[in-house]
Amino acid sequence: MPKASEIKKHAAIEYNSRVMIVRDIERSVPQGRSGGSLYRMRMYDVVTGGKVDETFKADEMLTLADLIRRPVMFSYIDGDEYIFMDEEDYTPYNLNKSSIEEQVLFVSEDTKGLLAVIVEGSPVSIDLPSSVELVIEDTSPSIKGASASARTKPATMSTGLIVQVPEHISNGDRIKINTDEKKFMGRADN
């Protein structure tokens, strides 16, 4: 059993008899206390998607959840269900759109590095790679001679995601996006 101080982001822990994914950790050292650090964790229930913020002492023992991550690729949409295919044994995993609403904005048919999060045999979420490549579907025309670092403009991806891009980027460009910060990283290497 790990201590709270050893838990990393994206770990799955059992908390109040529910499986929670740790999305964010803030460490703080209270003034004037003869104790260790405190770890404030923002956690999401893998089944309901409910958010819980909880603070743990550094040496508090936590239980890691029984969780499996499998490499998958996006297959197709059936109504409100997104179907992902296991890359090794071709098992289909159905996830309801509402449970992966934020993630699907980064997912297209050719997105690499996706992981299905499986708890007790059922898929509950999708883990994204640190960056994805998407094609710009709609943005204002590129401005000739615009510098690469100056102003930005909104661009809508083929998945519906909107990110700010430099003015010299145009429709049809394939770009790299940081999935944690929803930020433009550069043109993708074709």
Side-chain angles (χ1 to χ4, degrees), residues 4 6 25 48 54 58 60 86 158 179:
E6 298 165 346
I25 303 171
T48 66
E54 191 61 58
E60 218 171 310
D86 191 303
S158 52
T179 56

Side-chain angles (χ1 to χ4, degrees), residues 8-58:
K8 303 272 185 260
K9 269 174 77 168
H10 304 299
I13 60 171
E14 283 184 25
Y15 178 74
N16 287 348
S17 67
R18 296 185 313 189
V19 176
M20 309 295 275
I21 299 275
V22 178
R23 287 275 165 88
D24 237 359
I25 303 171
E26 281 179 36
R27 180 175 175 256
S28 61
V29 182
Q31 295 290 316
R33 277 209 20 224
S34 61
S37 304
L38 294 176
Y39 290 83
R40 181 179 170 84
M41 297 185 191
R42 173 160 286 177
M43 305 180 290
Y44 288 84
D45 185 315
V46 294
V47 178
T48 66
K51 182 174 74 173
V52 177
D53 286 344
E54 191 61 58
T55 303
F56 300 98
K57 293 181 181 129

Side-chain angles (χ1 to χ4, degrees), residues 89-134:
D89 65 12
Y90 304 111
T91 304
Y93 297 115
N94 294 29
L95 283 149
N96 191 289
K97 182 180 182 180
S98 62
S99 66
I100 55 170
E101 230 162 342
E102 287 180 23
Q103 291 96 321
V104 294
L105 289 172
F106 295 98
V107 176
S108 67
E109 287 82 11
D110 55 1
T111 303
K112 304 267 184 272
L114 297 172
L115 295 172
V117 178
I118 318 254
V119 176
E120 294 165 8
S122 300
V124 293
S125 181
I126 291 292
D127 274 357
L128 296 167
S130 59
S131 69
V132 295
E133 292 181 5
L134 292 172

